[in-house]
Amino acid sequence: MARKDIPGQASLVFDVALLDLHNPKDSISIENKVVPENCERISQSGDFLRYHYNGTLLDGTLFDSSYSRNRTFDTYIGQGYVIPGMDEGLLGVCIGEKRRIVVPPHLGYGEEGRGNIPGSAVLVFDIHVIDFHNPADSISITSHYKPPDCSVLSKKGDYLKYHYNASLLDGTLLDSTWNLGKTYNIVLGSGQVVLGMDMGLREMCVGEKRTVIIPPHLGYGEAGVDGEVPGSAVLVFDIELLELVAGLPEGYMFVWNGEVSPNLFDEIDKDGNGEVLLEEFSEYIHAQVASGKGKLAPGFDAEMIMKNMFTNQDRNGDGKVTAEEFKLKDQETKHDEL
């Protein structure tokens, strides 16, 4: 309104709607905290945090929401990746906590604002912390039950059969072998599961039950698994080990259980032509395993093991093994591999 439009000595009436106010000395304020009873750890600078939020102005006008995108907002905290007010407001939270963070403009988007956020606006963020971790975190193992005889512990190379429930830290179930009615079977240390799970299954005895918490850098990483595991999610596995078949010494796919025949090549070369083909080799090894004289590494395809062993002996790659090529690999007195 221009001053020339106002008559002299006029009384003026203003109808005012106060949208917000702040003082340049204001800090953030934290309100309506809902903290889970079980809070073993609070967030600190350098943690990577996943959270949902609704962002509004003081009058309740919604300007942004992670819920509308059906995806958490994921960020490092305390390191300047988000506006200063949120960087501060996300410190000291528990997993599962809900809180309201009120951010004055000098700790938000300032005098200029951003997008549909007006300049100099006070912002209100209602957040729900889904999980957080630190890049330095390792896995966490909690054993809930061990049988009286827990002397044989799992190690690299062992073939394991186990049940598990996989969930997020908020309890959301992702997968369950119990629901499927069949165990999950792996060779420990062979890269068949994510590194955190491989670590979590070590030194475990049959019948033991444990919970393994796996940070994303030891799980499915920033990408997650499309439609199954959210990116950067911390995972919880409740595990029960049902069966363990001891593996072979490291580097071995077949070992003899007793003394090795001094005429081994001749025994394999049944037709006596001085050459062993894959079929002869495979038939002989299968017979040794069936009779208990030899053992194959558990959990691997037997035919693939035979082929690899044969290829190792076929040093010139001509598809047959001669007596000159044929050699034993010694590791210990009682452990020889072809």
Side-chain angles (χ1 to χ4, degrees), residues 8 52 62-63 81 103 122 142 163 169 197 207 221 238 246 285 307:
H52 271 304
L62 182 71
F63 62 80
Y81 288 95
V103 181
V122 178
T142 303
H163 269 309
L169 278 179
M197 180 59 106
D238 293 310
I285 296 298
K307 189 173 182 180

Side-chain angles (χ1 to χ4, degrees), residues 4-302:
K4 65 181 181 180
D5 297 329
I6 303 174
Q9 304 300 316
S11 297
L12 304 179
V13 178
F14 292 90
D15 292 318
V16 178
L18 182 61
L19 298 180
D20 66 27
L21 59 87
H22 73 280
N23 189 290
K25 296 181 180 179
D26 288 346
S27 182
I28 65 169
S29 66
I30 296 174
E31 307 168 358
N32 301 336
K33 290 176 62 174
V34 179
V35 181
E37 292 183 5
N38 183 19
C39 181
E40 297 180 355
R41 170 179 167 183
I42 60 174
S43 62
Q44 58 187 359
S45 181
D47 286 343
F48 189 84
L49 192 144
R50 298 193 314 129
Y51 65 98
H52 271 304
Y53 70 89
N54 283 326
T56 63
L57 305 180
L58 271 183
D59 65 358
T61 301
L62 182 71
F63 62 80
D64 193 16
S65 173
S66 64
Y67 295 100
S68 66
R69 294 187 292 273
N70 196 31
R71 179 183 173 87
T72 58
F73 190 83
D74 309 336
T75 185
Y76 289 98
I77 58 172
Q79 299 186 337
Y81 288 95
V82 289
I83 58 175
M86 287 298 282
D87 228 1
E88 180 183 350
L90 292 169
L91 294 173
V93 297
C94 299
I95 291 172
E97 181 174 335
K98 296 180 181 180
R99 63 168 53 174
R100 171 169 287 183
I101 305 170
V102 181
V103 181
H106 54 278
L107 297 176
Y109 293 102
E111 296 180 4
E112 296 183 358
R114 178 178 177 180
N116 58 349
I117 299 174
S120 298
V122 178
L123 308 178
V124 179
F125 291 92
D126 289 301
I127 69 157
H128 179 200
V129 180
I130 303 303
D131 66 28
F132 61 81
H133 71 281
N134 193 282
D137 287 347
S138 185
I139 65 169
S140 168
I141 299 176
T142 303
S143 183
H144 304 291
Y145 171 77
K146 290 184 179 181
D149 181 8
C150 193
S151 57
V152 178
L153 302 180
S154 57
K155 65 185 186 306
K156 183 177 180 181
D158 289 349
Y159 182 57
L160 308 182
K161 295 184 179 181
Y162 61 96
H163 269 309
Y164 71 83
N165 282 333
S167 61
L168 302 179
L169 278 179
D170 65 1
T172 301
L173 184 66
L174 300 176
D175 191 18
S176 172
T177 57
W178 277 289
N179 290 348
L180 295 175
K182 59 180 180 180
T183 58
Y184 200 80
N185 309 328
I186 68 159
V187 176
L188 197 56
S190 64
Q192 296 175 350
V193 289
V194 295
L195 181 57
M197 180 59 106
D198 197 289
M199 296 165 65
L201 287 167
R202 303 221 175 189
E203 297 185 357
M204 191 174 185
C205 63
V206 173
E208 183 177 346
K209 299 177 182 179
R210 60 172 56 171
T211 296
V212 181
I213 300 177
I214 302 176
H217 52 277
L218 297 174
Y220 294 98
E222 294 181 11
V225 179
D226 189 32
E228 297 181 38
V229 181
S232 299
V234 179
L235 303 179
V236 180
F237 285 89
D238 293 310
I239 302 168
E240 180 181 1
L241 183 59
L242 299 183
E243 186 177 337
L244 183 157
V245 180
L248 303 186
E250 189 168 354
Y252 284 70
M253 298 301 286
F254 172 84
V255 295
W256 297 94
N257 290 328
E259 295 297 323
V260 183
S261 170
N263 302 314
L264 185 57
F265 182 82
D266 294 334
E267 290 183 10
I268 301 175
D269 181 25
K270 286 187 175 181
D271 58 11
N273 67 350
E275 298 175 348
V276 171
L277 302 179
L278 176 59
E279 292 76 11
E280 291 177 286
F281 184 87
S282 179
E283 181 181 346
Y284 181 82
I285 296 298
H286 274 303
Q288 306 314 301
V289 173
S291 66
K293 295 179 180 178
K295 180 181 178 181
L296 291 171
F300 293 100
D301 179 71

